[in-house]
Amino acid sequence: MAINKNHEFEELNGVKCAIVEKNASAERVVFLKQLLEFNKYTVVVVDSPPPKPAPAATPKPPAIAEENTLPTGEGQLPPPPETFTIGVTDVTFNPTNAIFGRLLRTKDRHVVTLAYWNQQEAMSHDEVPYYETNKDD
């Protein structure tokens, strides 16, 4: 159990891990796994648990139920998207501290920026401070 939401850890595949991201897509897993392994972290990826089911609807009286019957299939929800939980075996790892503490590097030796971590930029522009990137002057 984490002290706060900024530093979560739990057991993934029987290994105590610091949580990097929950409910990540497959593409995001590939990106983060390559980045973290390049920075010498051991990455553990597991399927995220399925979302909790909605509460069951209260049954209607038989007269009302016959009038409002839905054809089979319309009441079905689409399957939830396949998501993953990403963790690293170093339980002291904190993504926020790693990004703003400038601890992670890209393969071309640039510092990982917040925009690069969030995949908003293809290259890390570490020469531009994060507080100057979105000015509309």
Side-chain angles (χ1 to χ4, degrees), residues 60 64-76:
K60 296 180 181 179
I64 297 173
E66 290 174 12
E67 296 172 6
N68 296 331
T69 57
L70 293 174
T72 57
E74 281 189 28
Q76 300 279 337

Side-chain angles (χ1 to χ4, degrees), residues 9-19 42 44 88-91:
F9 55 92
E10 61 186 58
E11 197 167 300
L12 303 176
N13 286 344
V15 179
K16 188 101 169 180
C17 295
I19 300 300
T42 304
V44 178
V88 293
T89 57
D90 180 1
V91 294

Side-chain angles (χ1 to χ4, degrees), residues 90-111:
D90 180 1
V91 294
T92 63
F93 181 80
N94 181 329
T96 304
N97 290 346
I99 295 166
F100 290 105
R102 303 172 64 85
L103 304 176
L104 299 175
R105 303 273 185 235
T106 63
K107 289 186 179 180
D108 56 352
R109 301 289 183 204
H110 287 279
V111 174

Side-chain angles (χ1 to χ4, degrees), residues 1-116:
M1 181 56 91
I3 294 173
N4 61 32
K5 294 297 280 181
N6 295 329
H7 191 169
E8 294 183 352
F9 55 92
E10 61 186 58
E11 197 167 300
L12 303 176
N13 286 344
V15 179
K16 188 101 169 180
C17 295
I19 300 300
V20 176
E21 194 165 307
K22 289 186 174 185
N23 298 325
S25 66
E27 296 83 20
R28 183 91 172 129
V29 168
V30 170
F31 172 78
L32 287 177
K33 187 170 183 175
Q34 289 175 349
L35 179 65
L36 293 168
E37 286 178 345
F38 178 77
N39 284 280
K40 300 189 178 18
Y41 288 101
T42 304
V43 180
V44 178
V45 179
V46 297
D47 291 338
S48 292
K52 294 180 181 176
T58 56
K60 296 180 181 179
I64 297 173
E66 290 174 12
E67 296 172 6
N68 296 331
T69 57
L70 293 174
T72 57
E74 281 189 28
Q76 300 279 337
L77 293 175
E82 187 175 6
T83 59
F84 302 91
T85 299
I86 307 167
V88 293
T89 57
D90 180 1
V91 294
T92 63
F93 181 80
N94 181 329
T96 304
N97 290 346
I99 295 166
F100 290 105
R102 303 172 64 85
L103 304 176
L104 299 175
R105 303 273 185 235
T106 63
K107 289 186 179 180
D108 56 352
R109 301 289 183 204
H110 287 279
V111 174
V112 172
T113 61
L114 182 61
Y116 183 79

